[in-house]
Amino acid sequence: MDTLKAILHHLLRAFFGVPKDGFTYPDHHAVRAGVYETTKAYAVTVSLIGYDVEITVGSGYLFDGATIPRWLWPLAGAPMEPPHDAAALIHDWLYACQILTKRQADWIYAQVLAQAGFAYWRVAAEWLAVTVFGGEAWAEAKLRDVQYAVGQGRILYLPPKHNNN
């Protein structure tokens, strides 16, 4: 029986992913139904067009989390369940400020999920979902939202790492 449990445990970990040690999650609280506020700055480093890029969203930023239909929650997870909260915070900020393209923002969302330990099939499925269904949210960014968002975070291109061997 223990062998069967161990096999099932490993299959589930491979299927759903394994949380990564050292991955940090944003601190936030609910402001009202469906709206959350960061309580301190949150930063991630991702790869973008051959560069490491640090994206920081400041304290006090309002976001609405991942848009996941309720009927998908048993498979995909709830909108503010880790690591959706981390990926959604960064993705929402990138959509609001539109400093990068939609394609880049969607790719970064997938990278954050992968860094957190999501299984690759789940990363691919969620990337496909935001790519296909995120156009309306991207188009809804208004000038006032862009100005607010730009003041709430930053993107920093890190210098390339050189191997001095």
Side-chain angles (χ1 to χ4, degrees):
M1 189 62 153
D2 287 339
T3 303
L4 185 59
K5 279 185 180 178
I7 291 170
L8 183 60
H9 175 74
H10 288 295
L11 285 173
L12 289 173
R13 288 172 61 116
F15 189 70
F16 289 106
V18 180
K20 297 252 177 96
D21 290 339
F23 184 83
T24 59
Y25 296 92
D27 291 331
H28 54 76
H29 67 273
V31 174
R32 59 184 177 278
V35 178
Y36 305 88
E37 179 180 32
T38 57
T39 54
K40 65 183 200 181
Y42 179 70
V44 295
T45 301
V46 296
S47 293
L48 187 64
I49 10 178
Y51 291 92
D52 284 339
V53 179
E54 182 182 85
I55 301 169
T56 304
V57 179
S59 176
Y61 181 70
L62 300 174
F63 68 110
D64 64 1
T67 306
I68 303 170
R70 185 174 284 279
W71 62 271
L72 275 177
W73 288 10
L75 183 61
M80 289 303 289
E81 182 178 283
H84 284 121
D85 59 346
L89 168 60
I90 298 298
H91 192 250
D92 285 1
W93 182 75
L94 289 170
Y95 263 43
C97 68
Q98 298 194 356
I99 292 173
L100 301 175
T101 67
K102 178 187 177 308
R103 179 180 286 180
Q104 291 169 328
D106 294 346
W107 180 247
I108 289 168
Y109 176 80
Q111 283 190 62
V112 175
L113 291 176
Q115 286 178 11
F118 252 38
Y120 290 114
W121 75 267
R122 292 181 73 187
V123 172
E126 293 212 18
W127 170 81
L128 184 61
V130 296
T131 298
V132 172
F133 300 110
E136 187 176 325
W138 179 265
E140 285 180 357
K142 310 280 188 293
L143 181 58
R144 63 179 161 73
D145 296 333
V146 171
Q147 290 171 339
Y148 164 74
V150 168
Q152 292 292 315
R154 71 168 192 221
I155 295 179
L156 178 65
Y157 287 83
L158 302 174
K161 296 175 186 161
H162 295 288
N163 189 355
N164 295 331
N165 287 339

